[in-house]
């Protein structure tokens, strides 16, 4: 219930809505990321909108002090505006990839006409204290390296989508298709609760949290 109370918090949903330019926000998905000490694996560079077919804003919350030594989140500044390369989720190369975790980024940056001779020049590695957070646009390229430190690296990611979202006209794939009710395009609030709306609307059962 502690994790749920954070994911369903109205203030976090409000920030996501304001950043996304939406009237309200609902939770599309949430994840816990855990990298054990001394070699926790990489996460390939990707965009969240490769697997979330709606406009999206992510709130990434550090549960431990996070820094470049323990595999922090790595952002590519301005990459949310890139348009030349379509990122597609490869579930075989996402967690602990066989290829270098920056390989997808290299293709995308090259398509944008950027110099890829030193990708690290494009990357910003964040340092976030435990309890701190970072928000990013769903089209932002990001990933993370190995945890080479003796400390855990744990985080919580909340993926927000507009409160007005529906399944209409969407190819939702295996992740979201299991939550679509047969014969309906509505996003059921049992699975996709509205955590904040400018008019005060909020999924009723959230009062329990």
């Amino acid at each position: 219930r502690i994790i749920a109370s954070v994911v369903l918090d109205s203030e976090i949903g409000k920030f996501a809505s304001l950043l996304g330019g939406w009237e309200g926000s609902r939770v599309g998905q949430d994840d816990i990321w855990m990298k054990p000490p001394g070699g926790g694996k990489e996460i390939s560079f990707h965009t969240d909108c490769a697997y979330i077919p709606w406009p999206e804003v992510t709130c990434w919350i550090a549960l431990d002090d996070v820094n470049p030594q323990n595999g922090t989140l790595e952002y590519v500044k301005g990459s949310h505006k890139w348009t030349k390369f379509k990122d597609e989720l490869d579930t075989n190369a996402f967690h602990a990839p066989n290829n270098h975790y920056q390989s997808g980024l290299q293709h995308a940056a090259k398509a944008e006409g950027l110099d890829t001779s030193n990708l690290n020049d494009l990357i910003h590695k964040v340092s976030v204290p435990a309890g701190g957070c970072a928000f990013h646009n769903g089209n932002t390229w990001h990933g993370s390296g190995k945890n080479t430190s003796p400390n855990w690296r744990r985080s919580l990611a909340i993926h927000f989508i507009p409160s007005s979202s529906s399944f209409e006209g969407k190819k939702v794939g295996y992740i979201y298709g299991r939550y679509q009710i047969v014969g309906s395009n509505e996003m059921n609030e049992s699975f996709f609760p509205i955590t904040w709306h400018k008019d005060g609307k909020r999924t009723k059962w959230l009062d329990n949290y």
Side-chain angles (χ1 to χ4, degrees), residues 105-204:
L105 170 61
Q106 186 165 29
H107 290 302
K110 186 175 292 185
E112 291 294 321
L114 299 174
D115 180 7
T116 60
S117 59
N118 188 354
L119 280 178
N120 288 326
D121 289 343
L122 303 176
I123 294 170
H124 176 69
K125 299 181 180 182
V126 300
S127 293
V128 183
C133 69
F135 285 85
H136 63 258
N137 182 291
N139 289 310
T140 301
W141 281 83
H142 60 287
S144 58
K146 285 184 178 180
N147 178 4
T148 59
S149 79
N151 305 310
W152 276 92
R153 186 281 221 184
R154 293 165 289 200
S155 61
L156 167 65
I158 314 168
H159 302 281
F160 292 98
I161 59 177
S163 58
S164 58
S165 299
S166 75
F167 286 110
E168 185 174 1
K170 300 293 184 182
K171 294 181 179 180
V172 294
Y174 81 94
I175 296 177
Y176 291 98
R178 71 189 75 177
Y179 301 108
Q180 183 173 7
I181 297 172
V182 175
S184 174
N185 287 319
E186 178 186 357
M187 300 193 77
N188 192 293
E189 291 181 35
S190 294
F191 308 121
F192 306 102
I194 296 172
T195 60
W196 182 85
H197 194 279
K198 69 175 186 178
D199 295 334
K201 179 183 178 181
R202 182 169 154 85
T203 296
K204 291 182 179 180

Side-chain angles (χ1 to χ4, degrees), residues 1-17 19-20 22 25-33 46 48-49 51-52 54-63 73 75 131-139 142 153-162 176 191-196 202 205-206:
R1 292 184 68 88
I2 293 174
I3 295 294
S5 68
V6 175
V7 171
L8 303 173
D9 181 75
S10 62
E11 286 300 306
I12 298 176
K14 179 180 179 179
F15 278 120
S17 294
L19 289 169
W22 312 329
S25 61
R26 65 170 78 221
V27 175
Q29 181 178 329
D30 59 307
D31 311 288
I32 292 286
W33 299 91
H46 63 283
D48 293 338
C49 282
Y51 58 93
I52 299 177
W54 297 275
E56 191 267 351
V57 170
T58 297
C59 176
W60 184 86
I61 302 172
L63 303 180
L73 195 63
Y75 286 125
C133 69
F135 285 85
H136 63 258
N137 182 291
N139 289 310
H142 60 287
R153 186 281 221 184
R154 293 165 289 200
S155 61
L156 167 65
I158 314 168
H159 302 281
F160 292 98
I161 59 177
Y176 291 98
F191 308 121
F192 306 102
I194 296 172
T195 60
W196 182 85
R202 182 169 154 85
W205 58 263
L206 298 188

Side-chain angles (χ1 to χ4, degrees), residues 35 41-46 72 74 93-94 96-106 119-120 123 125 141-146:
K35 293 191 180 191
K41 300 298 185 180
E42 304 98 326
I43 298 296
S44 290
F45 268 84
H46 63 283
T72 190
E74 303 179 14
F94 188 71
N98 293 323
N99 296 328
H100 194 278
Y101 77 106
Q102 295 177 347
S103 60
L105 170 61
Q106 186 165 29
L119 280 178
N120 288 326
I123 294 170
K125 299 181 180 182
W141 281 83
H142 60 287
S144 58
K146 285 184 178 180

